[in-house]
């Protein structure tokens, strides 16, 4: 199956947080995906020091197909209801 790619040439990476839960990020490589998430998290934590520190699980990061992305979104929506 074809991996989900945007017009900037970035793939959608699905990943798990080490403490549980999941998310996604657009990036050109797995290393860039991890670095982008870490940079974003550290910036957010600096502004919100009393909140928990989420860390992405590098080993769980994977490029996905459009169908896999939609399935993860459906699961997230179901968990939030």
């Amino acid at each position: 199956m074809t991996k989900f790619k945007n017009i900037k040439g970035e793939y959608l990476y699905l990943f798990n947080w080490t403490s549980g839960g999941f998310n996604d990020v657009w990036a050109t490589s797995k290393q860039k995906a991890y670095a982008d998430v870490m940079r974003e998290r550290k910036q957010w934590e600096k502004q919100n020091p009393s909140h928990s520190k989420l860390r992405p699980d590098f080993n769980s990061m994977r490029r996905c197909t459009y169908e896999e992305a939609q399935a993860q979104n459906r699961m997230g929506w179901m968990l939030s209801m």
Side-chain angles (χ1 to χ4, degrees), residues 70 72-81:
Q70 292 306 311
Q72 178 169 292
N73 286 337
R74 274 192 303 278
M75 186 176 11
W77 295 327
M78 286 189 289
L79 290 171
S80 66
M81 294 183 150

Side-chain angles (χ1 to χ4, degrees), residues 19-68:
S19 57
F22 55 87
N23 212 326
D24 57 53
V25 62
W26 290 99
T28 53
S29 70
K30 183 176 179 177
Q31 290 76 13
K32 179 135 176 33
Y34 184 81
D36 287 352
V37 173
M38 285 300 296
R39 184 176 49 258
E40 201 173 294
R41 287 303 308 165
K42 287 185 179 198
Q43 184 178 32
W44 192 87
E45 290 163 5
K46 195 176 199 180
Q47 296 169 349
N48 302 279
S50 63
H51 290 74
S52 62
K53 291 181 167 51
L54 294 176
R55 294 293 177 259
D57 178 356
F58 181 81
N59 293 325
S60 74
M61 290 192 150
R62 65 228 179 257
R63 291 188 299 179
C64 67
T65 64
Y66 177 79
E67 292 76 17
E68 291 167 333

